[in-house]
Amino acid sequence: MRDASSFYAFLTICGLLAITPGPNMIYVMSRSIAQGRAAGLVSLAGVIIGYLFYMLSAAFGITALFMHVPYGMSALSVAGAAYLLYLAWQAIKPGGRSPFEARELSYEPPRRLFVMGATTSLLNPKLAMIFLTLVPQFVRDQGGNLLKTSITMGSVVILAFVLVNGAVAIGAGSTAKFLAQRPALLTLQRWFMGAVLTALAARMLIDTFSVGV
């Protein structure tokens, strides 16, 4: 890829967003705690449907945007930076919620778990923001075929989310118990995440305005 530093920043953002609390993570974790690892993984399979939908929709939209809308990417970069700042505030604000504070749910059959996972994912505004405002900026930096690069980088996002949520589904119960006994670790993780997200947002704004909005 053409811009290695941009790609590494993209990987950092993917990792941070993947571990940031959201509807999908809460759903997968809750099902895993309530019904076991298998239920959590079935729920995750449904969630992946939403990932794929937003990735493909954004990939074709990004290609059209590059070709037809002047300054469209600069506007998306500003929106993406604003979203990162919003996530940073959510991480550090008083009373911020840890993803490991999931509630238990009643039993559901596998087919319903899958459908509910897909529905949760498709209605998740976090995914729309990621694929429509954050990914495009890094696609621009990498050059090459826009559609191919969009799908490639979108796949990286999906892989990060699947790995994290898969780990959540498998280890939700034991991890939640471990962290519940160590609140200082949760606080440290939230502040570290907030600081890094703020720094990345600042970099996005600096890069955007250095070339003109």
Side-chain angles (χ1 to χ4, degrees):
M1 294 196 173
R2 189 172 66 185
D3 191 334
S5 64
S6 176
F7 184 64
Y8 293 143
F10 176 72
L11 291 179
T12 301
I13 289 178
C14 286
L16 288 171
L17 291 177
I19 62 176
T20 300
N24 293 341
M25 178 182 288
I26 298 298
Y27 175 70
V28 170
M29 180 174 294
S30 297
R31 287 300 173 186
S32 182
I33 292 175
Q35 296 181 227
R37 296 175 179 176
L41 293 173
V42 171
S43 300
L44 175 58
V47 165
I48 292 173
I49 298 298
Y51 295 159
L52 294 173
F53 171 80
Y54 281 111
M55 180 192 73
L56 294 175
S57 297
F60 287 101
I62 290 167
T63 301
L65 182 67
F66 265 103
M67 296 175 61
H68 302 297
V69 182
Y71 304 111
M73 290 311 304
S74 294
L76 286 183
S77 294
V78 172
Y83 180 60
L84 289 181
L85 291 173
Y86 167 77
L87 291 179
W89 167 245
Q90 292 297 309
I92 66 174
K93 70 177 183 179
R97 181 176 180 175
S98 166
F100 295 97
E101 298 173 344
R103 59 187 179 88
E104 294 191 5
L105 302 172
S106 59
Y107 175 86
E108 297 289 352
R111 180 178 297 181
R112 183 167 174 78
L113 290 175
F114 181 88
V115 172
M116 291 172 64
T119 302
T120 300
S121 188
L122 289 169
L123 297 178
N124 184 357
K126 176 180 176 180
L127 289 182
M129 290 297 297
I130 291 171
F131 285 107
L132 296 178
T133 66
L134 295 177
V135 174
Q137 173 180 332
F138 296 98
V139 170
R140 175 185 59 190
D141 292 340
Q142 301 311 313
N145 182 280
L146 294 177
L147 180 59
K148 180 180 179 181
T149 304
S150 297
I151 292 176
T152 299
M153 301 194 78
S155 298
V156 173
V157 175
I158 292 176
L159 179 61
F161 275 77
V162 170
L163 289 176
V164 170
N165 284 314
V168 164
I170 293 172
S174 58
T175 303
K177 183 178 179 180
F178 175 82
L179 290 177
Q181 299 171 350
R182 296 165 177 81
L185 289 179
L186 287 175
T187 301
L188 179 62
Q189 179 267 335
R190 288 171 50 203
W191 277 94
F192 175 77
M193 182 186 301
V196 174
L197 288 172
T198 299
L200 290 171
R203 172 186 166 166
M204 289 175 67
L205 290 173
I206 292 171
D207 290 346
T208 297
F209 286 103
S210 66
V211 297
V213 178

